[in-house]
Amino acid sequence: MDPEISVVIPVYNEEESLPRLFAELYPVMEDIKRSYEIIFVNDGSHDKSFAMLYDFQKQHPHNVRFIDFNGNFGQHMAIMAAFSKVRGQFIITLDADLQNPPEEIPKLIKQMDDGHDVVGTRRKNRHDPLFRKVASKAVNNITNRITGLHINDYGCMLRGYNRRIVDIIAHSGESTTFIPALGQKYAVNPIEIFVAHREREYGTSKYSIFRLIRLNFDLMTSFSLSPLQWVTMSGIGISALSFLLVAYILIRRFIIGSEAQGLFTLMAIQFFLTGISIMSLGIIGEYIGRIYKQIQKRPRFVIKKIWEEENNDKQAD
Ligand code: UDP
Ligand code: MG
C-alpha cells in the first residue's frame, strides 16, 4: 500500500551530515504515526554518501528508497527525480545538511491536513553568513517582482506539497527549474509559515556565489519575460534621450559653433551605454540559452539505479 507521506532529500557529498540526519529524521517520522517513505537522491556524490545511503536503505527497507544519479544534475533535478517516483499524498522536501531541522516536519504536515496544497516556509533567525542574508533578501525582492510570485524566502527548501502539485511539477518539461517557484505557481491554497534554521555544522555549502547567481537567472528566465521587456524599454528610453542630445548639439553648433571639450564626459557616457548593451546581450543570451537547452531535449537527469524494497536489484529505466 502507498504511504501517506513522502520525504524527499537531495544529497550531494554530505557524508558528514548524513549520520546525524538519519539519527534525527527517523524518530521524527516514527513519532508522526503515519505511513511514510523517505526518498534520498544521490546527486553524483563522490564521497561516502553513496555507501551510507546504501546501508541506511538496507537497514530500513520498508521506509527508505534511494535514487542514485549518474552524475551531478543539481539539487532541483534531484528533487524532480524523486517527485516523479513519490507514492505519498503529502510530500515534504528537506536538505540533507540539517539546516532545516527535521523536528519541523510535523508543523508542515499539520498545514497540509488543514487543506493547504503548498506549505512554503521562511527561515526564522536564519543562520547563514551576513552577506548571504542581505544578498538573498535583495534577490528575493527582485525575483518576486520579476516573476510575479510571492515567496518570502526562495532558499528555504523545507517545504510541503500535496500530490496534485508534485505531479504537475514532475510533468513540467523545463530543462532547468526552481521547484519552490513551480509549486507556488500552481498552488491553489498555499500558506507560508516560519521554520527554525540552523547553521550548517558539517561540510560546506554546495553553492558557490557563481552557482547562486546562475540559479537565480534560471529562476527569472523560467518565470518571466520582463527582463527582455526592460531591455526593449531601456533601449527606447536611451534612444529618445540620445535624440534630444543630438538635436541640442546640432542647434548649439549652428549658434555657438562646434565643441571639442568634454572628452571624459563623453567617455563616461559611452562606457555606461556599452555596459547596458553588454548586459542586454547577456539577458537575451539567457533566454537563447534556455531555448537551446530545451530544444536539445537531453534528459534532465539520469538515474543509474533505484534502491528500494521490491527491486533492490532492478536496473532503473
Ligand atoms: N545538493 C544537491 N546537488 C547539488 C547541490 C546541492 O543535491 O548540486 C543538495 C545538498 O546536498 C543539500 C541541498 O541540496 O542537501 C542544499 O544544498 P546546500 O546546503 O549546499 O545549499 P545552501 O543551504 O547553502 O543553500
Ligand atoms: Mg544548506
Side-chain angles (χ1 to χ4, degrees):
M1 213 180 72
D2 286 345
E4 268 180 87
I5 302 166
S6 300
V7 179
V8 168
I9 308 178
V11 176
Y12 180 52
N13 294 341
E14 299 284 5
E15 62 182 5
E16 295 104 327
S17 305
L18 286 178
R20 198 164 141 202
L21 175 69
F22 298 154
E24 289 192 18
L25 180 62
Y26 205 70
V28 169
M29 294 315 294
E30 288 292 315
D31 271 357
I32 296 174
K33 306 250 175 297
R34 286 157 78 161
S35 57
Y36 70 92
E37 62 176 0
I38 305 172
I39 308 180
F40 290 100
V41 184
N42 177 29
D43 186 17
S45 305
H46 31 75
D47 63 356
K48 293 198 212 77
S49 299
F50 173 87
M52 296 167 102
L53 291 170
Y54 179 88
D55 288 345
F56 191 66
Q57 198 277 328
K58 286 280 173 291
Q59 284 161 24
H60 305 280
H62 305 304
N63 301 106
V64 177
R65 300 163 71 199
F66 152 39
I67 299 175
D68 190 29
F69 269 4
N70 213 353
N72 179 246
F73 292 88
Q75 180 186 5
H76 292 267
M77 282 309 140
I79 296 173
M80 190 67 95
F83 276 10
S84 64
K85 306 283 175 198
V86 291
R87 295 176 182 152
Q89 287 307 314
F90 293 169
I91 292 89
I92 307 280
T93 57
L94 184 75
D95 283 352
D97 61 0
L98 290 157
Q99 287 200 273
N100 314 127
E103 304 91 79
E104 300 286 55
I105 292 176
K107 266 200 214 165
L108 273 76
I109 294 186
K110 185 176 174 308
Q111 298 296 337
M112 300 180 86
D113 279 335
D114 289 347
H116 295 288
D117 52 357
V118 168
V119 186
T121 47
R122 289 176 78 169
R123 289 168 278 195
K124 198 166 49 188
N125 307 323
R126 185 171 164 191
H127 294 282
D128 269 322
L130 180 68
F131 108 90
R132 257 193 85 165
K133 283 196 275 193
V134 174
S136 85
K137 203 165 186 125
V139 169
N140 271 334
N141 287 339
I142 299 171
T143 312
N144 276 336
R145 224 163 233 217
I146 293 181
T147 59
L149 299 170
H150 296 284
I151 297 181
N152 280 301
D153 191 353
Y154 278 87
C156 188
M157 293 302 289
L158 170 62
R159 286 171 184 269
Y161 308 87
N162 78 10
R163 181 61 176 274
R164 191 184 74 86
I165 301 287
V166 162
D167 287 343
I168 296 173
I169 294 177
H171 286 104
S172 70
E174 284 165 285
S175 56
T176 53
T177 197
F178 196 85
I179 305 276
L182 277 178
Q184 189 71 14
K185 185 169 175 62
Y186 298 115
V188 179
N189 184 16
I191 190 170
E192 202 171 66
I193 60 171
F194 276 100
V195 291
H197 186 245
R198 297 185 193 147
E199 233 163 290
R200 201 185 224 281
E201 285 183 41
Y202 314 97
T204 50
S205 172
K206 309 297 177 253
Y207 285 98
S208 62
I209 186 77
F210 178 72
R211 226 176 146 184
L212 281 174
I213 293 172
R214 274 253 38 89
L215 188 68
N216 229 73
F217 271 123
D218 278 342
L219 170 59
M220 290 185 205
T221 52
S222 151
F223 280 85
S224 169
L225 287 177
S226 67
L228 281 180
Q229 284 146 7
W230 290 350
V231 169
T232 318
M233 293 314 283
S234 61
I236 294 173
I238 292 168
S239 307
L241 287 177
S242 321
F243 178 77
L244 291 179
L245 187 65
V246 169
Y248 165 75
I249 288 175
L250 212 62
I251 294 167
R252 192 177 180 279
R253 196 185 169 107
F254 284 122
I255 300 173
I256 309 177
S258 66
E259 44 138 13
Q261 300 299 318
L263 180 62
F264 285 100
T265 315
L266 184 66
M267 271 171 73
I269 294 174
Q270 192 53 51
F271 282 152
F272 174 68
L273 294 182
T274 309
I276 291 191
S277 313
I278 295 174
M279 190 183 80
S280 305
L281 270 179
I283 291 177
I284 298 166
E286 287 290 330
Y287 286 93
I288 295 178
R290 257 193 110 68
I291 299 169
Y292 167 71
K293 274 201 212 151
Q294 205 66 38
I295 59 167
Q296 280 181 323
K297 287 213 167 96
R298 294 205 181 140
R300 298 186 288 180
F301 50 80
V302 182
I303 296 175
K304 198 194 278 174
K305 190 162 177 165
I306 303 180
W307 302 87
E308 56 192 0
E309 194 172 25
E310 298 88 326
N311 64 346
N312 266 340
D313 299 311
K314 185 186 117 182
Q315 203 68 29
D317 46 320

